[in-house]
Structures are given as C-alpha cells and as structure tokens.
Amino acid sequence: MSFRTNLVRARGHIVFLVALVIGLLLVLWLETLGDPPDPNAQSEGPDLMQTFDEIEPLPLAVRGESSGDDLESARIAWTYFENNTIEETGLVNSVDKYPSTTMWETGSYIVAVLSAERLGLIDSEAAEARLSKMLDSLRELRLFQDTLPNKAYNTRTLELVDYANQPSELGLGWSALDVARIVATLGLIERNHPALAPQVEALLDTWSLDSMVQDGELYGTNVVAGEVQLNQEGRVGYEQYAAKAMMLFGYDVYRAYEVRNDLMVQMVEGQPIPVDTRLHRGTTPAFVVSEPYLFDGLEFGFDARSHRFATAIYRAQEARYEDTGILTAVTESHLSEAPYFSYSSVWGGGSPWAVMTFQGERIDSRRTIATKAAFGWDALFGTEYTQTLVDALKDTADPEKGWPEGIYEQSGEVNGSTTANTNAVVLAALAFKAGGPLMRKVEE
C-alpha cells in the first residue's frame, strides 16, 4: 500500500490533530492579548523583585558623633519620657499625660531608654534600673485569655483596658504586630544589657508566642460582638519588620518575611513603591508609610531588600517636594483632633499620597510633615532634603514637653499631639547618627 493511499485514509485523523494544534496556538495567542500594561503598576510575581534589584541603595549616613544641636534635640525628646514615666509601674504613657499604653509604645519606650543611654543622657545604671522595673511590671500584666498581652493597658493600674482606657474583663485581643514590636526591643535589651537577659527570658516564658505563629505567618485576635476571631496580620513593610523580631527568638516566620507572593509595584513620583496586594482590614487597598522602614534601619540595620525598599520610599517623598515645593515626610501619626490617628501614605487606599483612618476613610487634610519621619530619614540617609525637613520642624519642639507629631501640611499649624512613638524615634535617629543601629553594640 502506497504512502499516498495511507495518507488519504488517515486524513480525518490528520485534520483533527491539525485543528487541535491550531486551536491550542490560538488560545495561547489570545491569552497574550488584552488591555495594554499599566505603566503605574506591575503584575505579581518573582520578576517584580528585579525592579528593586536595579535600585542603587542610598548610602547610610552614620556620622560617628553627635553635634550640639543633636544633643539638644535628644534632650527635648527624653523630656517626654521623664514626664510620662509612671513611678509606681515603670511604664510610660503612649500619649502625653494619658495613662494608657500598648506593646508597640512600650517597645518604643525601650528604644528611647537605650538611645538616651547611648547618647549620654542617662548612665548605664539608670537605664538598667528603668528597664528592670518595666520588665517586672510586664510580668504582672493579665494576659488576654492567658495567652499574650492585650492590645491596651492602664499604665498606672496595669489593668487590661479597652481603647477608652476603661477596664475590660475580656479585653480587645492581641495584636501580632504590637507583640512582635516589643519582642524586637526585648532583643535589643538582651544585646545591650546582658545582665537583664534572665529577666527578659522569664517574661517571654509567660507569653505563648507560638499562638501567634501559624505556618510561617503572624496571627492576631480581635473581639467582635463578644466573639474572639483569629486573623492574619501584617502587610509589606510592617510584616517583614515583625518577622525579623520573631526570628531573633527562633520562630519560623518564613511566609511573613517573604514578600514575593503579596507584592505589587506602584510608581509614585517615578519611584517603584512596594505595595501589598492584600487589603487593609479586608476592605481597603493596603498603604505604605515610612515607619516600619525607619524602625528596621534604626534598630536592626537594613538588609539588602529593606534598604532598597526604603530608598525608593524616601526618594518618592523627596521627589514630591522637588515637583511641588511641598515638604513631605509621611508616616502614621497621632492627630491633635478627631479622628486622632491617621496613616499618611506614599501610596494607599488606591492612590498616591492618600491619608486614611484605620477604618480606611480618606482625610487628606490631615497630612502631617511628620517629625519622626524627618529625623529618621535624616539619620539614615543624611541628604540636603532631610536636613531641610529637620530645620523646618525645629521651632515646633517644646523643651518642657517633647517633640510634637509635626506640622499639618494644609494649614501649616503644628500637629500638637505629643507621643512616645515620635519622641522615641527622634532619640533612636540621633543615636543612629552617633553609632549606627541599636542592635550593634558601640565600642567603649
């Protein structure tokens, strides 16, 4: 039988196979079609990290010494902690004269003590006494469901409280990010005051830290209508800072530290900004602020990835100033008026430079030139622009009270809320200028 005859007999099968191949090629071709790529966003995937690999990180600006102006700024910041330390408990108010705190602000107090010591504002004996008293009080706290610290406590009575600082039998739940924040600073205590390590370890032995780590991620709890709900916590920036903290104490938080699976890039002022693809509170596009990157650099020292992320986030703020003449140093801030707290973002809620409440409402009129962002970026990168920011805020300091949150961009008025977080970052920034990250011991 000839080849031609066989070919004729098999023509039906051949036609079917050819059609199948053509159909497959057509599907693949159609999948490459669609809307043109958005120049302001890139799709998810490992290749996104190449965007940041191409960034040349700004050099760090450790000066190795403190100027007279630095020490005066530090003294003003330390005044906040002198005024707000509760003698009976050794804890510090999160906001001036308001006897409430969280684990986040308590971590900031630890940073303030270690920074003040490094700057020579207090001696080692005084620093150790403050830290020891605080650790004793933390051991006395009633934990949320006997597991982890509640989201808020009264600094005078050590009572577990709600956000109105009223005693609460059940409590608010625990925040994985807040707990990780204080865990980070407990690691700083062990590094800088080894004599206190047994006290730190005894405290951590009473906390069930493994309850907030599941399959490499961080989980917190919320109380909704009397029911306790477990929820994943952390978005790009905050999540990696918290993961570093937990790694210090041997916890496997590989998913929390990795960013690739939850990363998108939004271009802001020509800079690629790392944004989380997950929603804030399940409803609002996540936001990017300076704070977690400041903490990372000032306390731990940047890793290669966070250094590049921080460089892009800083440069976007500098570029906004160059383009508009508007001083820009954005992060989360307390406010001197309702709603009393906001996230001033580089990108958030679906657009650049959005200012949002925790609930995700836009309040752009409350954008603040943040004191802690100005001092933090100046310590880390020391550019002409960061010096301009610090100079613009100098007159807002109150030598009897501390540094306020900053200046409202729109009105030019001082955002007069005065907090532990801001004054701690000012101290950490000035300590960094003199000796680098707090995790690195300074040679005597």
Side-chain angles (χ1 to χ4, degrees):
M1 188 177 294
S2 69
F3 172 75
R4 181 174 180 179
T5 301
N6 287 334
L7 196 61
V8 170
R9 290 182 176 181
R11 63 185 181 277
H13 297 291
I14 294 171
V15 169
F16 172 76
L17 291 173
V18 170
L20 186 63
V21 171
I22 292 173
L24 178 60
L25 292 173
L26 180 61
V27 168
L28 293 174
W29 178 68
L30 288 172
E31 285 183 347
T32 66
L33 297 180
D35 296 330
D38 182 352
N40 293 319
Q42 298 180 30
S43 60
E44 302 175 42
D47 289 342
L48 286 182
M49 290 307 301
Q50 294 178 5
T51 303
F52 298 99
D53 290 341
E54 296 169 2
I55 290 176
E56 183 66 31
L58 285 169
L60 298 179
V62 181
R63 284 74 161 180
E65 60 183 3
S66 298
S67 67
D69 284 347
D70 288 343
L71 292 175
E72 179 58 24
S73 295
R75 279 191 286 268
I76 292 171
W78 183 242
T79 297
Y80 176 90
F81 297 96
E82 292 180 321
N83 293 344
N84 284 278
T85 303
I86 306 302
E87 184 177 354
E88 297 81 4
T89 65
L91 298 185
V92 165
N93 303 325
S94 60
V95 178
D96 188 48
K97 306 303 182 186
Y98 185 67
S100 180
T101 193
T102 69
M103 291 302 99
W104 190 277
E105 277 90 358
T106 303
S108 290
Y109 173 48
I110 293 171
V111 165
V113 171
L114 296 175
S115 300
E117 177 188 8
R118 188 167 289 190
L119 290 163
L121 301 178
I122 58 175
D123 62 24
S124 179
E125 185 177 347
E128 201 154 295
R130 278 179 170 269
L131 294 170
S132 180
K133 189 168 188 175
M134 178 213 65
L135 290 168
D136 284 343
S137 289
L138 291 177
R139 282 285 303 272
E140 297 179 30
L141 298 179
R142 179 166 72 88
L143 303 178
F144 180 80
Q145 295 188 328
D146 297 321
T147 304
L148 287 166
N150 185 53
K151 291 179 180 178
Y153 288 92
N154 186 300
T155 54
R156 296 188 182 279
T157 66
L158 302 183
E159 289 178 287
L160 184 151
V161 296
D162 60 22
Y163 287 132
N165 208 32
Q166 297 302 306
S168 172
E169 182 57 33
L170 175 58
L172 298 167
W174 76 72
S175 165
L177 295 182
D178 282 17
V179 173
R181 163 71 169 150
I182 194 170
V183 165
T185 60
L186 292 173
L188 296 177
I189 291 178
E190 291 193 335
R191 178 65 172 160
N192 289 275
H193 285 275
L196 294 177
Q199 233 177 314
V200 170
E201 295 300 328
L203 171 64
L204 291 177
D205 283 346
T206 67
W207 294 358
S208 300
L209 290 174
D210 55 341
S211 297
M212 69 181 215
V213 178
Q214 295 187 14
D215 194 23
E217 292 189 303
L218 295 169
Y219 281 80
T221 56
N222 288 316
V223 177
V224 180
E227 296 294 323
V228 180
Q229 298 180 354
L230 192 69
N231 52 279
Q232 182 273 332
E233 274 191 33
R235 296 295 180 261
V236 171
Y238 286 102
E239 191 174 18
Q240 287 68 52
Y241 169 77
K244 279 188 177 182
M246 298 304 292
M247 288 176 183
L248 284 176
F249 289 88
Y251 287 89
D252 182 359
V253 283
Y254 72 102
R255 290 185 188 273
Y257 184 71
E258 181 54 73
V259 300
R260 293 177 187 271
N261 293 336
D262 302 304
L263 182 68
M264 63 177 172
V265 174
Q266 295 289 342
M267 298 300 294
V268 179
E269 307 293 338
Q271 296 298 319
I273 302 302
V275 179
D276 205 299
T277 58
R278 296 166 293 183
L279 298 176
H280 167 66
R281 303 191 78 208
T283 59
T284 308
F287 42 78
V288 177
V289 298
S290 299
E291 188 139 327
Y293 299 98
L294 300 179
F295 286 176
D296 187 26
L298 298 175
E299 296 170 18
F300 293 138
F302 288 131
D303 56 60
R305 183 181 66 197
S306 64
H307 196 169
R308 287 177 168 84
F309 282 8
T311 294
I313 288 165
Y314 162 74
R315 280 177 170 161
Q317 295 173 71
E318 183 182 58
R320 182 173 184 257
Y321 169 71
E322 292 173 348
D323 290 345
T324 66
I326 300 172
L327 289 172
T328 305
V330 292
T331 193
E332 62 176 69
S333 296
H334 282 261
L335 304 173
S336 56
E337 57 190 59
Y340 302 110
F341 192 85
S342 70
Y343 296 91
S344 291
S345 71
V346 175
W347 193 94
S351 63
W353 311 117
V355 183
M356 300 188 303
T357 66
F358 183 75
Q359 292 74 24
E361 299 168 351
R362 289 287 291 267
I363 50 168
D364 288 6
S365 64
R366 298 295 85 191
R367 185 178 297 108
T368 296
I369 305 165
T371 302
K372 58 186 168 183
F375 274 89
W377 290 128
D378 185 56
L380 291 166
F381 297 142
T383 67
E384 288 186 14
Y385 176 60
T386 61
Q387 185 61 57
T388 298
L389 287 171
V390 171
D391 289 344
L393 290 159
K394 280 184 176 178
D395 291 342
T396 67
D398 184 340
E400 304 300 319
K401 188 177 180 181
W403 288 90
E405 291 294 271
I407 299 172
Y408 288 122
E409 176 185 292
Q410 190 173 91
S411 67
E413 297 175 352
V414 173
N415 175 354
S417 183
T418 309
T419 68
N421 279 337
T422 282
N423 284 280
V425 173
V426 171
L427 284 162
L430 296 170
F432 181 93
K433 287 177 71 173
L438 287 172
M439 188 56 76
R440 300 178 192 165
K441 294 188 70 172
V442 177
E443 297 298 327
E444 299 292 339

